[in-house]
Amino acid sequence: MCTNTPRTAAGFSFRLQERAEKRKEFFQKLEEKIHAKELEQTNLQEKSKESQEAEIKLLSKSLTFKATPMPSFYKEQPPKVELKKVVQNLRL
């Protein structure tokens, strides 16, 4: 297949610049996705930390024992009869 007809070169060009631009766009999008995931993770961590702190507060409130006054029927009533006898003895 050796013919002596001249061949014309079909507009050969390197696509280096186009590939570099596409690569740059790809890495920018990838970086944005990574950044968005990091933000989402930090937000989730903050929310979980806040909820844990709220649960700890509620638990600590429920565990603190507060003194309540004793009901009146538990208190000892001073015997009135003895006091009257003592007062009568003092007058004599």
Side-chain angles (χ1 to χ4, degrees):
M1 288 199 107
C2 220
T3 59
N4 290 338
T5 58
R7 293 186 184 177
T8 56
F12 179 77
S13 65
F14 287 108
R15 293 190 175 191
L16 184 67
Q17 293 297 327
E18 292 175 22
R19 288 182 179 169
E21 288 175 13
K22 285 183 181 180
R23 190 181 316 114
K24 188 176 181 180
E25 290 174 7
F26 172 76
F27 283 122
Q28 283 179 349
K29 288 179 183 178
L30 187 64
E31 197 171 312
E32 288 173 2
K33 285 182 183 179
I34 292 171
H35 184 67
K37 280 187 179 181
E38 287 176 353
L39 284 176
E40 187 177 338
Q41 285 180 345
T42 55
N43 288 339
L44 287 173
Q45 286 176 348
E46 288 176 4
K47 287 180 182 179
S48 66
K49 188 175 181 180
E50 289 175 1
S51 65
Q52 283 179 348
E53 288 177 358
E55 287 177 9
I56 289 172
K57 265 188 179 180
L58 290 174
L59 184 63
S60 66
K61 281 185 180 180
S62 68
L63 290 178
T64 54
F65 297 104
K66 296 181 181 178
T68 55
M70 287 180 59
S72 61
F73 59 85
Y74 279 119
K75 294 180 183 176
E76 288 185 28
Q77 299 289 333
K80 295 179 182 177
V81 177
E82 291 179 14
L83 289 177
K84 287 181 182 177
K85 288 181 182 177
V86 171
V87 172
Q88 289 175 357
N89 287 340
L90 290 175
R91 286 185 188 171
L92 293 175

